[in-house]
Amino acid sequence: MQFKDLGLDNRLLKNLMHYDFKTPTEIQQQAIPYSMLGKDLLASSKTGSGKTLAFLLPMLHKSLKSKAFSARDPRGVILVPTRELAKQVYSELRTMLAGFSYTATLISGGENFNDQVKALRRYPRFIVATPGRLADHLDHRSLFLDGLETLVLDEADRMLDLGFAPQLRRIHRAAKHRRRQTLCFSATLDHDQVNDIASEMLNAPKSISVGTSNSVDKDITQRFYLCDHLDHKEALLDRILEQEDYRQVIIFTATRNDTERLTDKLNERKLKAIALSGNLTQTQRNTIMSQFERAVFKILVTTDVASRGLDISNVTHVINFDMPKHTEEYVHRVGRTGRAGNTGDAISFVGPKDWESLKRVERYLQQEMSFSVLEGLQGKFKGIKPAKKPVSKTQAGHAGAQKAKPKKVTKKPVKRDKSFYNNVDVGDNVFIPKKKKAPVIDDDNE
Ligand code: ADP
Ligand code: MG
C-alpha cells in the first residue's frame, strides 16, 4: 500500500513528498482511513512508528473536505505532554500545511502568555498545545473551542502520568459537542487513566493497537554494563564515548543535578555536551534543542523530560547513565535512537540502585538481559539475588552471562506512586551524599 491509496486530498499527498517515504507505516495504514470517516479512535503503537502523520493527515484531510463549523474557533487542536514535543509536532504540521491558507499556532508553557493571546486573536485554524497552557487560555477566554472539529491527544498516557487529567477535562468540556472527533494516541492502552479519560472523552471509539508498546525496536541494539559506583559509571562512559562511532548521543540521568554535573565533566574533556533539564527557561530549552538538532552539540545530557517523542535522526546512541525509575520510560528513552529505519545503540549502566529498575524492565519487555564487559573495567557488582527464592547460577543470568535467554515472565501492570505526579522523585540517589536536598527529577511541568 502507498500513501496515494489512502484517498487523501492530493494537496496533502503533494506536501508529503517533502518527506521521502512512500509507504504508510502500519499504524498509519490502519488509523488514517478510519479517522477520515470522522469517527473516534483510541490507538497505540510503539514509539517511532509514525503516529504524528497518523493523526495529522486525517485531521487536515477532513478540514479540506468540509466547511468549518466556526469562522473563529480552531478546527483542530493537538495536545501533547511536553513543550519540546509540541514544537516538533508543530513543525510537522507546518510542513503539511505548506501552500494552504490555513494558519496554525503553538501554545505551550514557558512562552509569553500575552503574545499567545495575540496569536489566538488572529484565529488560527490549528493549534498544537500543552494542556496546562491551553486550559489557562480557556480560563482567560482568549480562545473558545465550540467550533472544534478534531481534538487529538498525543502521548495520552504521559499527559495523564504528568497529572494533566483536570486540564484535559477542562478542554473537553469547552469543546463538548456532538460533531467533535477525538483521536487519542497512547504508548499503551493498558493504562487505567487512559481508559477512564477515553470513556469520558471519546464516543464509541475503535481501538487499534499495532505491535506492543512493551518492546524495543529490533533495529536498536541493547547493551548493559554492571557498575559498582559513580566513578565506575563515569569510567565506562569515557571509554564508550572513546570507542563508539557515534554521531549524536543522548545520555539520561536520574536527576537534574546529575545532568549538570555530568555535562561539566564531558565538557572538561571537550566532548561538546549540553544539558537539558526542566528547570531552565523555555527560551533556554528551545535554544538547547535547536542547537542539538543542528548538531552544534554532539551530546545531550538530560532526564526523562526528553524521553518521549523527540525525533532527531542523527542520534545513534542512547546511554542510560542511570536506569529510569518508571519502567516504560526505558522503551521511550531508547526509542530516541533508531529513528525512521536507522539502527541505534542503547547502552545502560546498572549499579546496585539500578538493579530493581533493570528487573522491572526485564519483566516489562519479557526478556532477560545479559551483561557486556569492557576490558579493564569489570567491577565487583554482580547483581542482587532475590532474597527469598534463590535461583541457580544458570538461571540468574548475572554478570558474565554471554547469551540472553529470552524467558517469558508474567507482565505486571505498572503502578505509579504518588511522588511521580508531584514531579518529586528521588530517582537513583545512590551516589548523592546523605543530607543533601532530595534531587529533583524532571517530569515535564506545564
Ligand atoms: P511516533 O509518534 O510514533 O513516535 P513519529 O510520528 O515521530 O513517531 O515518526 C517517527 C519518524 O518516522 C519520523 O522521523 C517520521 O518522519 C518518520 N515517518 C513517519 N511516517 C513514515 C513513513 N510512512 N515511512 C517512513 N518514515 C516515516
Ligand atoms: Mg509521537
Side-chain angles (χ1 to χ4, degrees):
M1 182 192 266
Q2 301 209 330
F3 275 107
K4 63 179 170 44
D5 303 322
L6 293 170
L8 287 162
D9 189 283
N10 276 331
R11 290 164 288 180
L12 289 174
L13 290 175
K14 191 168 151 252
N15 285 351
L16 258 180
M17 279 160 53
H18 167 85
Y19 301 103
D20 263 347
F21 26 88
K22 303 235 157 19
T23 322
T25 62
E26 201 174 336
I27 185 71
Q28 290 165 353
Q29 290 186 24
Q30 293 199 35
I32 294 171
Y34 183 81
S35 311
M36 280 163 67
L37 302 173
K39 295 187 179 163
D40 286 4
L41 178 69
L42 180 56
S44 86
S45 75
K46 67 181 178 182
T47 172
S49 57
K51 290 190 281 293
T52 319
L53 286 174
F55 56 74
L56 286 181
L57 289 170
M59 176 185 84
L60 296 175
H61 174 86
K62 221 177 57 171
S63 301
L64 287 166
K65 297 292 180 198
S66 63
K67 264 188 90 176
F69 295 167
S70 143
R72 298 182 162 196
D73 299 347
R75 303 189 71 172
V77 166
I78 299 158
L79 299 174
V80 299
T82 67
R83 302 165 191 178
E84 278 73 17
L85 192 53
K87 275 192 73 184
Q88 190 176 293
V89 171
Y90 180 65
S91 120
E92 214 159 322
L93 170 68
R94 293 286 301 264
T95 304
M96 292 316 299
L97 282 178
F100 294 116
S101 56
Y102 288 152
T103 49
T105 198
L106 174 65
I107 300 289
S108 73
E111 306 283 355
N112 184 290
F113 192 88
N114 289 329
D115 289 349
Q116 292 178 345
V117 172
K118 279 184 211 146
L120 290 169
R121 277 201 201 119
R122 290 195 288 272
Y123 306 126
R125 304 276 71 193
F126 298 99
I127 296 176
V128 181
T130 49
R133 182 55 71 87
L134 196 77
D136 289 346
H137 281 291
L138 286 172
D139 291 341
H140 188 257
R141 299 172 72 80
S142 27
L143 100 151
F144 296 90
L145 296 178
D146 306 281
L148 184 68
E149 292 157 40
T150 313
L151 177 64
V152 178
L153 312 179
D154 188 22
E155 307 267 10
D157 57 325
R158 182 72 171 155
M159 289 197 280
L160 292 163
D161 287 341
L162 289 172
F164 282 135
Q167 287 80 7
L168 294 182
R169 292 199 169 95
R170 170 81 182 87
I171 294 162
H172 166 61
R173 282 198 307 277
K176 206 170 175 181
H177 57 81
R178 268 191 311 122
R179 288 190 293 171
R180 183 189 94 202
Q181 179 183 22
T182 310
L183 306 174
C184 177
F185 286 78
S186 172
T188 170
L189 297 184
D190 188 12
H191 189 295
D192 288 347
Q193 277 189 302
V194 170
N195 290 312
D196 289 350
I197 279 282
S199 66
E200 283 171 49
M201 295 178 57
L202 276 65
N203 182 15
K206 178 185 166 97
S207 288
I208 296 179
S209 184
V210 176
T212 44
S213 58
N214 56 338
S215 69
V216 168
D217 198 291
K218 59 175 179 2
D219 292 330
I220 301 173
T221 310
Q222 303 176 76
R223 262 182 288 156
F224 295 83
Y225 293 93
L226 286 165
C227 310
D228 293 338
H229 41 60
L230 180 60
D231 289 346
H232 191 190
K233 283 189 175 182
E234 289 183 357
L236 282 164
L237 181 65
D238 283 351
R239 176 78 66 83
I240 284 166
L241 292 176
E242 244 167 61
Q243 286 185 348
E244 298 284 321
D245 186 16
Y246 64 84
R247 287 209 296 276
Q248 282 187 288
V249 187
I250 301 183
I251 301 177
F252 287 96
T253 64
T255 68
R256 290 175 185 175
N257 292 346
D258 295 342
T259 305
E260 276 146 32
R261 194 187 46 74
L262 198 60
T263 306
D264 291 344
K265 289 223 159 176
L266 294 170
N267 281 326
E268 275 166 24
R269 304 180 57 237
K270 309 253 177 306
L271 284 172
K272 291 202 165 189
I274 192 160
L276 176 82
S277 61
N279 54 341
L280 300 171
T281 66
Q282 189 54 35
T283 316
Q284 289 169 322
R285 279 167 70 164
N286 292 349
T287 312
I288 291 167
M289 282 317 294
S290 103
Q291 287 177 325
F292 187 63
E293 270 163 46
R294 285 182 285 116
V296 178
F297 291 92
K298 294 193 90 173
I299 304 175
L300 181 77
V301 189
T302 185
T303 57
D304 278 324
V305 73
S307 69
R308 293 261 181 153
L310 297 182
D311 185 50
I312 299 166
S313 57
N314 268 329
V315 176
T316 49
H317 290 66
V318 165
I319 300 178
N320 290 312
F321 191 82
D322 302 304
M323 288 291 283
K325 180 163 186 204
H326 296 289
T327 314
E328 63 274 31
E329 294 317 310
Y330 176 82
V331 177
H332 292 288
R333 286 175 174 195
V334 307
R336 294 313 104 221
T337 183
R339 305 294 292 175
N342 292 323
T343 57
D345 284 274
I347 296 167
S348 302
F349 295 163
V350 182
K353 286 279 166 128
D354 299 293
W355 186 254
E356 264 314 304
S357 169
L358 171 75
K359 290 285 126 187
R360 287 196 299 266
V361 167
E362 287 184 331
R363 283 199 292 274
Y364 187 66
L365 298 176
Q366 306 195 1
Q367 204 182 351
E368 198 167 306
M369 306 303 182
S370 62
F371 296 100
S372 307
V373 173
L374 284 177
E375 216 191 307
L377 285 176
Q378 198 164 5
K380 294 197 180 79
F381 178 59
K382 302 285 184 232
I384 301 168
K385 288 194 179 158
K388 281 186 182 159
K389 281 191 210 156
V391 281
S392 74
K393 257 192 181 176
T394 41
Q395 282 174 311
H398 55 70
Q402 290 304 309
K403 283 177 205 157
K405 256 193 186 175
K407 186 182 155 194
K408 289 273 168 196
V409 196
T410 334
K411 194 183 143 203
K412 281 193 185 155
V414 189
K415 279 256 185 291
R416 299 290 196 185
D417 57 40
K418 207 159 174 263
S419 65
F420 188 82
Y421 304 107
N422 296 335
N423 293 347
V424 185
D425 194 334
V426 289
D428 174 2
N429 58 1
V430 63
F431 305 116
I432 308 288
K434 280 175 191 162
K435 286 194 182 161
K436 250 196 176 175
K437 265 204 293 181
V440 194
I441 210 170
D442 246 354
D443 292 321
D444 213 282
N445 37 24
E446 196 54 47

